[in-house]
Amino acid sequence: MRSTIRRRTYQAIYRLLDRVSPIDTDCGQLCGAACCMGDPEGEETVGIYLLPGEEKLHSKHDEWLDWSEDYAEDYEFPDSWTGKVCFINCKTPPHCPREKRPIQCRTFPLTPHIDEDGELSLIYNDLDLPYACPLIYEAVPLNDDFVRATLTVWKHLIRDPLIYDLVKMDSEERGE
Ligand code: SF4
Ligand code: SF4
């Protein structure tokens, strides 16, 4: 898939999000790093798909991850998504090179939403997850700088038509 987002832009996004955190302490201590472990027993590792172009920051030879590619058409991605989508599985969750965490990890527990007027906002992730995130179910106030940086990042990301289509599709499904 052709991404309009350059490697340099993804690097800048990673750097911006490296400087912020949802809360001041390590929220993984609250839940045993549930979003990394993927299931309460910790028996399954979590799979993460990379956004179009985000694979420019990763390598199939990175030792900390398993890498696979699937066809967008086989999954619930927007119609504009055709061809290969990269999925990664962390080999030793919750441990990973922090500076390499994908966008999905960096912006959780928030997710972008585009309303009927085309306005972008952030909401708590409302996917049906196999674990419970205390930041969500206890509605823990998130750091302002984390929320601001995350919104800035998504504003940039949705300039890419493929990412816009993904966020729009998820937002419309949410509306239903
Ligand atoms: S984001 Fe939520 S689920 Fe993930 S480590 Fe923090 S508190 Fe746990
Ligand atoms: S990349 Fe790191 S933060 Fe993200 S799920 Fe894997 S271990 Fe957790």
Side-chain angles (χ1 to χ4, degrees), residues 22 26-36 108-109 131-136:
D26 175 7
C27 61
Q29 303 283 332
L30 302 173
C31 62
C35 56
C36 294
F108 190 83
Y131 56 85
C133 170
L135 298 185
I136 298 175

Side-chain angles (χ1 to χ4, degrees), residues 108-165:
F108 190 83
L110 296 175
T111 199
H113 180 82
I114 297 174
D115 68 18
E116 316 80 62
D117 300 324
E119 286 293 318
L120 175 73
S121 61
L122 296 173
I123 60 170
Y124 279 123
N125 192 306
D126 59 349
L127 288 178
D128 193 14
L129 300 168
Y131 56 85
C133 170
L135 298 185
I136 298 175
Y137 69 75
E138 290 179 14
V140 175
L142 303 179
N143 282 336
D144 285 344
D145 60 354
F146 169 76
V147 176
R148 270 198 308 271
T150 303
L151 187 58
T152 300
V153 161
W154 280 112
K155 277 182 183 166
H156 275 285
L157 289 171
I158 63 168
R159 289 181 190 155
D160 178 87
L162 294 172
I163 297 177
Y164 179 89
D165 287 350

Side-chain angles (χ1 to χ4, degrees), residues 35-36 46 48 64 88 90 92-96 101-102 105:
C35 56
C36 294
V46 68
I48 302 163
W64 63 282
I88 64 166
C90 310
T92 55
H95 306 292
C96 64
R101 288 166 304 137
C105 302

